[in-house]
Amino acid sequence: MSRPTRAPGGQTDEANSQTSVMSPPRNDLDPPKTDPFTLEELRQYDGTEADRPIYVSLKGTVFDVSHKRDVYGPPTGSYRIFAGKDASKAFGLSSLKPEDAVPDWSDLEPKDKKTLDEWHAFFKKRYNVVGRITDMPEPVKQYVWPQPE
């Protein structure tokens, strides 16, 4: 049994039915910020507190996804598994499994790394960049933009 594939365009192809669930690129994004976050600090932005933004990180880049609280927020957001985490590996695998929502993507196959890069580019066009993770796992630390001091 094959899992549904999810491409950055928001297309889901399962049994030849396609549904677009993603928003188009935005032209009102703020300039990217480089505020430092640790993975532990990022957990505070998981959507459990209504007065706090929801952040998701890919490849160490922290995105504010608050305007899509219905998608990323608990208790029923379909992508709540990513809230307050760097879930790079899960994005590369197109996975919603909790065990895949981790920041170390170094063991991904080249095709999955390409998928992760596409998701990162997708997010950069739709969500404000609010910071970067300073304590990424060693195998992927060199790929975080900008490099922590």
Side-chain angles (χ1 to χ4, degrees), residues 46-63:
D46 65 357
T48 55
E49 294 185 34
D51 62 337
R52 188 172 283 170
I54 300 175
Y55 293 164
V56 170
S57 177
L58 282 85
K59 296 178 68 175
T61 303
V62 182
F63 298 93

Side-chain angles (χ1 to χ4, degrees), residues 2-4 12-18:
S2 65
R3 67 177 184 213
T12 300
D13 183 12
E14 185 173 18
N16 297 322
S17 67
Q18 293 194 352

Side-chain angles (χ1 to χ4, degrees), residues 81 85 89-90 93 95-102:
I81 188 73
K85 297 178 186 168
K89 185 173 185 174
L93 294 172
S95 171
L96 294 174
K97 295 178 184 176
E99 62 268 24
D100 291 332
V102 297

Side-chain angles (χ1 to χ4, degrees), residues 28-105:
D28 63 342
L29 295 175
D30 297 331
K33 296 180 182 176
T34 59
D35 295 348
F37 287 87
T38 64
L39 291 167
E40 182 66 33
E41 289 168 335
L42 183 63
R43 288 188 187 116
Q44 299 173 41
Y45 300 91
D46 65 357
T48 55
E49 294 185 34
D51 62 337
R52 188 172 283 170
I54 300 175
Y55 293 164
V56 170
S57 177
L58 282 85
K59 296 178 68 175
T61 303
V62 182
F63 298 93
D64 183 345
V65 298
S66 301
H67 73 276
K68 299 291 274 182
R69 189 171 286 276
D70 60 321
V71 176
Y72 293 98
T76 60
S78 55
Y79 298 119
R80 67 188 175 280
I81 188 73
F82 305 134
K85 297 178 186 168
D86 184 300
S88 297
K89 185 173 185 174
F91 278 93
L93 294 172
S94 299
S95 171
L96 294 174
K97 295 178 184 176
E99 62 268 24
D100 291 332
V102 297
D104 186 353
W105 74 89

Side-chain angles (χ1 to χ4, degrees), residues 6-12 19-25 118-119 122 126:
R6 297 183 193 278
Q11 307 303 318
T12 300
T19 307
S20 178
V21 295
M22 297 295 188
S23 58
E118 290 169 352
W119 274 115
F122 178 86
R126 286 161 180 82

